[in-house]
Amino acid sequence: MGKTTLCNTIMGLKSSQRGSIRFHGEEISNMPPHKVTARGVAYTPQGRRLWHSLTVDEHLKLSANSIGLWSIDRIYDTFPRIYERRRNRAGQLSGGEQQMLTIGRALMSKPKMILLDEPSMGLAPQLVEEIFEIVKDLNQREGVSFLLAEQNTNIALRYADYGYVLENGRVVMDGEGAELRENEDVKEFYLGMGGEGRKSFRDGKNYRRRKRWL
């Protein structure tokens, strides 16, 4: 759909072929990743991308040595679960604990915005809720903005202030999160619910006929 490509392009990990990417009024298109980070953008990539042989503590110390704007104790206060596992290697953590470590690592740079790419991937629903509640708290308490790229439309629209629906790399719908959640097309095509109950994506003809943007 283009969500990961968008995140990689914002971070400078992928070249931008056209258009403009501006952050706090500054053009950051094709800026090297370390310079994007220095301007206040952090990234938690899809799949977490941790070093499985390093401990939780080593991951955070490595980030602290590079930038060192958030203290490790502050990360542990935010994520008590990974404090308990601080001497364990990342490869020994559960998927939820790995996601918490990835967000904690991103917070070490004291970002203004964090790009969250598919944070719910591979996690049990209870852990997904826990992580999204932590993200909500960080947004409200610390003032950190989050750009969430998420395929789980249901939970994304429950927490998002504003949303964009991407299909094949282009925006086909946008609006307030609460409004999108109540939109009949969103309910039918992305939440699996419509006026007649659950819908199947296998009904391709109906899907394309009703999708006015296709």
Side-chain angles (χ1 to χ4, degrees):
M1 298 305 170
K3 300 188 299 297
T4 296
T5 299
L6 174 62
C7 290
N8 285 335
T9 304
I10 292 172
M11 286 305 302
L13 298 169
K14 190 176 182 65
S15 297
S16 175
Q17 302 299 317
R18 60 183 179 180
S20 175
I21 303 172
R22 302 182 68 82
F23 183 67
H24 282 263
E26 181 181 7
E27 179 66 44
I28 62 171
S29 300
N30 297 317
M31 188 177 282
H34 68 280
K35 291 188 177 180
V36 177
T37 301
R39 279 152 178 79
V41 184
Y43 187 26
T44 65
Q46 181 177 337
R48 283 139 347 228
R49 305 284 182 87
L50 298 168
W51 291 283
H52 283 200
S53 61
L54 296 183
T55 66
V56 168
D57 219 38
E58 288 169 339
H59 272 91
L60 297 178
K61 285 179 179 177
L62 183 62
S63 300
N65 288 338
S66 301
I67 303 169
L69 294 176
W70 261 50
S71 71
I72 293 177
D73 287 342
R74 195 172 173 189
I75 299 297
Y76 286 146
D77 286 342
T78 304
F79 299 100
R81 274 180 182 245
I82 62 172
Y83 172 73
E84 296 170 3
R85 306 294 300 277
R86 63 191 181 280
R87 294 187 177 87
N88 289 85
R89 295 181 180 181
Q92 298 172 317
L93 304 181
S94 69
E97 291 165 345
Q98 287 184 355
Q99 188 63 62
M100 292 175 190
L101 175 56
T102 306
I103 297 172
R105 181 178 61 181
L107 284 169
M108 291 299 291
S109 64
K110 198 178 181 180
K112 299 172 185 174
M113 180 173 73
I114 295 179
L115 310 183
L116 277 178
D117 193 0
E118 299 283 7
S120 72
M121 181 178 288
L123 302 185
Q126 184 177 352
L127 277 174
V128 173
E129 291 282 354
E130 183 177 347
I131 288 171
F132 271 75
E133 282 295 325
I134 292 171
V135 167
K136 177 182 176 181
D137 181 65
L138 286 168
N139 173 251
Q140 296 177 344
R141 178 168 49 87
E142 302 291 345
V144 180
S145 296
F146 289 87
L147 176 61
L148 171 67
E150 178 59 67
Q151 195 164 344
N152 186 335
T153 314
N154 189 23
I155 194 163
L157 292 181
R158 277 203 284 123
Y159 284 88
D161 293 318
Y162 201 89
Y164 297 87
V165 178
L166 288 178
E167 282 215 358
N168 299 319
R170 67 189 181 99
V171 176
V172 297
M173 194 182 300
D174 70 285
E176 300 288 336
E179 292 178 3
L180 286 177
R181 187 173 167 80
E182 295 304 316
N183 181 283
E184 290 302 320
D185 286 335
V186 171
K187 282 183 179 181
E188 178 168 349
F189 299 121
Y190 302 105
L191 301 179
M193 295 295 293
E196 301 174 1
R198 297 198 67 85
K199 299 290 183 179
S200 171
F201 286 103
R202 295 175 183 174
D203 188 3
K205 291 182 180 178
N206 179 60
Y207 179 72
R208 294 191 68 85
R209 184 174 66 250
R210 285 284 311 283
K211 278 195 163 181
R212 295 178 291 277
W213 50 86
L214 290 177

